[in-house]
Amino acid sequence: MSILLFLQVLAMFVGFGLTVGSGILLSLIIDAGDANATGIAALATRSVSMIGGISVGVATVLGVGVASSLGYPLLSTWLVVIYVCAALIIVLAFGVLRPWTLRLAHAAEATDQTPGALKQVAHERARGAGPLVGVLWVIAIAMMVFKP
């Protein structure tokens, strides 16, 4: 059981680092204003975030197994909060952030023809979904740590 718990925590840690970490790094690169670096970072973020998402999926399955084996009811309040956070993270990641990152990469590639496009895409409202995902992560992690 302790091996499953270790693997669940490891998978969640890796998933968090690859999803949120790559998003923060992309944001810093965008703010630097280099179109080539932004395009490369946007494409890299898509790949790294996908690996992180798979890791989070594995962690979720392991987490349900660990919670169940420890005797927690799977509809406990703290678990339901985690389920809701996870669902919102998935919706924001695939419905908002992933398409925005792709638009960002395309705008960076076309910066020679349309120099203002990159700046416009970089400051779309979709970028605000990143910090929201970070807050949802903090809530989910707090629920896992403190288990009310």
Side-chain angles (χ1 to χ4, degrees), residues 27-105:
S27 186
L28 293 172
I29 292 170
I30 289 169
D31 290 342
D34 183 338
N36 289 332
T38 298
I40 292 168
L43 291 174
T45 296
R46 284 186 59 219
S47 301
V48 170
S49 291
M50 182 59 71
I51 295 167
I54 292 168
S55 182
V56 170
V58 168
T60 301
V61 170
L62 289 172
V64 169
V66 168
S68 180
S69 69
L70 289 173
Y72 290 110
L74 295 181
L75 292 177
S76 298
T77 304
W78 67 277
L79 283 171
V80 171
V81 170
I82 293 171
Y83 303 151
V84 170
C85 287
L88 290 172
I89 288 169
I90 289 167
V91 167
L92 289 171
F94 287 102
V96 178
L97 292 172
R98 189 167 174 78
W100 173 73
T101 304
L102 187 57
R103 285 193 308 276
L104 189 65

Side-chain angles (χ1 to χ4, degrees), residues 4 7-15 52-66 137 144:
L4 282 179
L7 291 174
Q8 190 266 337
V9 170
L10 178 65
M12 194 60 74
F13 184 79
V14 169
I54 292 168
S55 182
V56 170
V58 168
T60 301
V61 170
L62 289 172
V64 169
V66 168
W137 266 103
M144 286 182 251

Side-chain angles (χ1 to χ4, degrees), residues 13-25:
F13 184 79
V14 169
F16 177 81
L18 293 179
T19 56
V20 175
S22 64
I24 291 170
L25 184 60

Side-chain angles (χ1 to χ4, degrees), residues 127-138:
R127 184 176 179 181
L132 179 56
V133 167
V135 169
L136 291 168
W137 266 103
V138 169

